[in-house]
Amino acid sequence: HTTTTTARASSSVLTPLVSFDARPSAPDTHTMSAALSAAPSFTALARQTRALTSRRPHSANATAVPRPVVPVFRVSAAGADAATTTTATTPTRNWSKCPEPAVVAPGSELEALLHVSNLVYDTKRCVNEYGELGKQAATVSAAILLATLMSNTKDVGALEGAMVYEPCTLEECAMDEDARLECVIDKAFVNLGAMMAERVEGLVSVEVDVHAAHDPEQIVARARRMRDMFDELGVSRDKILFKIPGTWQGVQAVEALEKEGIHCHVTLVYCLEQAAAAARAGATLIQVYVGRVRTWYKSRHEQAVKNHLGDAADPGVEFVRQTCAFIKSNGLKSKVIAASVRGRSDVLALAGVDYILLNDRIIAELNDKVSSVSGASGPLEDQMASATCPDHMTEDLAWIDQGAFETALRNSAAMEYLENGITGYVSAEEQLKEFIKQKMPPPNV
């Protein structure tokens, strides 16, 4: 079908994309068995996906893979009095469970926000659809790969190609079945990441072995291996972020990888010491969680005081403000993405953060509200411009060793939520492994 969108006003573009933290619910055993039964045969798919297993360098003469043209949220660059029409043609599909493309309303809070922050459309409910149609960024994780395999779309080739990838054979893995399975998962992540890189204009975040969250050497080894796999497929290194939990060991791995030019996305960050350590390590992107931090401190005023958030009207928002202020005042390169954003008031308080992760409900609410900014198409006030980090905290953060880091975790929301997050990621990866084991061909195939 063809979708035509007409919009007015400024130069910003908001496009639907895969969430940086999309985690679809795990399938039940019955559903998984049904999907396995319905999945195309290994032999047929292996023949179709040999291209994903080859060690071919990127060729300037190679035939370009056409990118899908997609429905977009767009505001015209021609000004408030001009109109522009964007036509997007996509294959017919069932959009009943996904938000419809929308127009950014001239003079709305959404339009004003686009002048000061990049908006990341959180599409947890539509991982597969927006995995194909997203235009700005994407994430590859165990949960998303499993959802892709369960959906039985053409992207199942990411796994089928990985299972016939020569370096992942038992012989190449020293006859170690566990090593073979890890290799297949890494290659499947890379194959799916390469597909996403062809479909989105922005970055693709790829999860690194979550079992290694406390093992810096293993994190570095797995990220390097996947980097080399992306190189084989001709994917630009500047297109990929490796997503690593914000443990002390994870931060050490990030520092080593960033020095090699391997860009990292540090996730599960819930306290200023975590954020500061990740920024000093050179992390390209740091993901912080507004609503979860607020909820944790709501009944823990003593901890809020200890962490210099006790006088804040909103500890979650203040945590983000202090993070942005610390990065800016120290001249560090890291960008911040605010997740766990729960309502319009959160968004307005976060205006000016590099990236804000929003769901369709909040986007619609912002789009319906007329901005209080004087003048048509004016930006919202950059709330991060006035953000500060307490002087004594700046001194404390000048040097963070492992002991201070882990004490900060225990005295904040970080310990609980970080470990819960890692546990969730590990659970998803274990389910993915069980799925793959049932599909894995015998060693002699």
Side-chain angles (χ1 to χ4, degrees):
H1 65 268
T2 301
T3 303
T4 302
T5 304
T6 303
R8 296 175 181 267
S10 88
S11 60
S12 299
V13 177
L14 171 66
T15 55
L17 58 137
V18 176
S19 160
F20 278 99
D21 197 30
R23 284 177 288 176
S25 57
D28 58 36
T29 305
H30 175 76
T31 305
M32 186 178 291
S33 298
L36 279 168
S37 299
S41 71
F42 163 75
T43 304
L45 278 168
R47 286 198 299 265
Q48 297 169 20
T49 57
R50 293 285 176 177
L52 289 174
T53 71
S54 63
R55 298 180 178 228
R56 57 178 176 80
H58 181 71
S59 171
N61 299 320
T63 302
V65 178
R67 296 185 179 183
V69 182
V70 303
V72 298
F73 293 90
R74 185 178 296 278
V75 182
S76 167
D81 297 327
T84 183
T85 300
T86 300
T87 301
T89 303
T90 65
T92 301
R93 62 176 59 246
N94 179 11
W95 291 91
S96 61
K97 295 183 181 179
C98 298
E100 290 294 329
V103 175
V104 177
S108 67
E109 288 178 340
L110 182 61
E111 183 196 45
L113 182 64
L114 284 166
H115 289 273
V116 293
S117 290
N118 296 293
L119 304 187
V120 178
Y121 194 1
D122 183 350
T123 60
K124 291 184 179 72
R125 294 186 299 120
C126 303
V127 168
N128 295 314
E129 286 82 353
Y130 284 120
E132 275 188 51
L133 299 179
K135 191 178 179 182
Q136 196 175 28
T139 292
V140 176
S141 67
I144 288 176
L145 177 58
L146 184 58
T148 298
L149 298 174
M150 298 286 292
S151 70
N152 200 21
T153 66
K154 63 182 180 181
D155 288 346
V156 298
L159 174 60
E160 301 296 346
M163 290 194 295
V164 294
Y165 179 60
E166 184 178 349
C168 293
T169 61
L170 268 179
E171 291 77 8
E172 292 290 331
C173 295
M175 305 305 290
D176 185 327
E177 282 284 4
D178 289 338
R180 180 191 185 199
L181 184 58
E182 289 176 356
C183 182
V184 167
I185 289 174
D186 283 356
K187 179 57 175 169
F189 276 18
V190 168
N191 288 346
L192 187 58
M195 294 173 185
M196 296 299 104
E198 287 288 340
R199 298 168 187 166
V200 302
E201 292 181 353
L203 302 177
V204 179
S205 284
V206 182
E207 191 175 89
V208 179
D209 181 22
V210 290
H211 288 85
H214 298 284
D215 184 341
E217 290 79 13
Q218 181 70 357
I219 293 172
V220 170
R222 296 289 286 272
R224 284 173 177 163
R225 177 164 72 178
M226 286 195 285
R227 183 271 316 272
D228 292 343
M229 291 175 176
F230 276 115
D231 285 350
E232 291 174 359
L233 296 177
V235 178
S236 170
R237 294 186 179 185
D238 290 333
K239 188 81 171 176
I240 303 299
L241 296 176
F242 289 100
K243 191 173 181 181
I244 297 169
T247 60
W248 174 257
Q249 295 81 4
V251 170
Q252 306 316 299
V254 166
E255 183 172 17
L257 291 168
E258 289 281 359
K259 285 179 179 177
E260 296 179 18
I262 300 175
H263 305 306
C264 299
H265 169 180
V266 179
T267 188
L268 301 177
V269 175
Y270 295 97
C271 71
L272 186 56
E273 289 81 357
Q274 266 184 302
R280 288 199 182 282
T284 299
L285 183 69
I286 299 172
Q287 185 160 337
V288 296
Y289 298 80
V290 183
R292 295 179 195 172
V293 168
R294 176 195 303 126
T295 298
W296 193 88
Y297 281 116
K298 190 174 182 180
S299 61
R300 296 173 174 86
H301 185 71
E302 182 179 342
Q303 282 87 348
V305 172
K306 185 180 295 185
N307 288 297
H308 315 289
L309 299 172
D311 295 331
D314 187 327
V317 170
E318 181 60 22
F319 162 54
V320 179
R321 287 171 56 83
Q322 290 184 11
T323 297
C324 292
F326 175 83
I327 291 170
K328 182 179 179 180
S329 65
N330 285 276
L332 302 173
K333 72 167 189 174
S334 301
K335 301 296 184 184
V336 174
I337 178 168
S340 187
V341 176
R342 295 183 175 169
R344 169 178 166 268
S345 60
D346 280 357
V347 179
L348 299 182
L350 293 166
V353 174
D354 299 304
Y355 299 93
I356 306 176
L357 184 63
L358 298 177
N359 61 35
D360 54 302
R361 175 185 60 81
I362 298 175
I363 287 175
E365 188 175 357
L366 292 168
N367 211 26
D368 287 341
K369 294 285 186 180
V370 176
S371 175
S372 60
V373 177
S374 59
S377 304
L380 287 174
E381 180 182 354
D382 183 347
Q383 299 295 327
M384 298 304 113
S386 61
T388 59
C389 187
D391 290 341
H392 51 285
M393 280 298 290
T394 300
E395 294 173 5
D396 292 344
L397 297 172
W399 176 259
I400 304 173
D401 60 16
Q402 184 173 359
F405 183 92
E406 294 183 349
T407 297
L409 296 190
R410 289 192 295 271
N411 290 334
S412 69
M415 180 63 76
E416 178 181 343
Y417 286 132
L418 175 61
E419 291 305 320
N420 286 347
I422 291 172
T423 299
Y425 292 156
V426 168
S427 176
E429 186 165 306
E430 289 302 314
Q431 291 180 66
L432 175 63
K433 285 181 176 179
E434 289 304 311
F435 188 99
I436 293 175
K437 285 177 182 177
Q438 296 179 61
K439 292 282 289 178
M440 193 84 81
N444 61 346
V445 172

